[in-house]
Amino acid sequence: MAPVIDLGSDQEGKWGMVIDQDLCMGCQACVTACAVENNVAFVGEDDAGYGRWMHWIRIERLWTGEYPQVYTGFQPMLCQQCGHAPCEPVCPVYASVHSSSEQTNLQVYNRCVGTRYCANNCPYQVRAFNWRDYQQSLPLSNMYNPDVTVRRRGVMEKCTFCLQRIRHVEDTAHSENREVLDGEIMPACAQACPTSAIVFGRIDKPESQVSHLAGNARNYKMLEELGTLPRITYLKGGSSHDGSG
Ligand code: SF4
């Protein structure tokens, strides 16, 4: 059976995510977990005022309906790991590249020269640029996750699907001579979500939970008309309300 998420004609996809907007309550636990897991900088009020926030995931708020029947919806927004990623062809140094084995969108920090073309060409606006050196000195540097690079000034960064966690589980499965189990890999955002609104897994395997959810009637892709072939899809919110999420 072909995968439900369109992976493009010449590609086999691997990792993907489905986010249920009916379950998301906008608590932002995923934002915090992502920041701590991936050494994402907190830029402070002044830089945030300039739009220089660094979070790899943000919660969009949506309102539909007329008072008093107003429905509030939330949409976690992060790198959509596009199959046809608009950020890739505009990078002059191939820092934004496609993983041929996993069909994810990678960012090679030590190649990036900071032109920010990728961020300007991303329709989802999910890339963050290091305007300053945000590295902490001791003892606060002890808080950093040693499995994740601490990026320097002038470098673009974004969600990696917690690649370090993927590799850790893959290595464990390999050493035990078995396949990675469905649901065994849990990105930080999915692990922290109190309502299990975020589901991660293999979108090229029809029996996986993420593939089942991708086949749900509420499933849609963000800005699908652009032809970016996102690996993240959403389950439309507001199923018990008169409005979309
Ligand atoms: S942790 Fe879950 S419920 Fe909270 S904002 Fe993130 S996706 Fe929504």
Side-chain angles (χ1 to χ4, degrees), residues 19-20 23-31 57 59 74-76 189-190 192-198:
I19 301 175
D20 190 338
L23 294 179
C24 177
M25 56 182 180
C27 69
Q28 309 223 31
C30 53
V31 178
I57 177 170
I59 307 299
F74 301 99
Q75 184 176 45
C189 56
C193 180
T195 60
S196 301
I198 302 175

Side-chain angles (χ1 to χ4, degrees), residues 85-102:
C87 56
E88 291 170 5
V90 295
C91 179
V93 293
Y94 301 105
S96 179
V97 288
H98 219 66
S99 158
S100 56
S101 59
E102 298 183 306

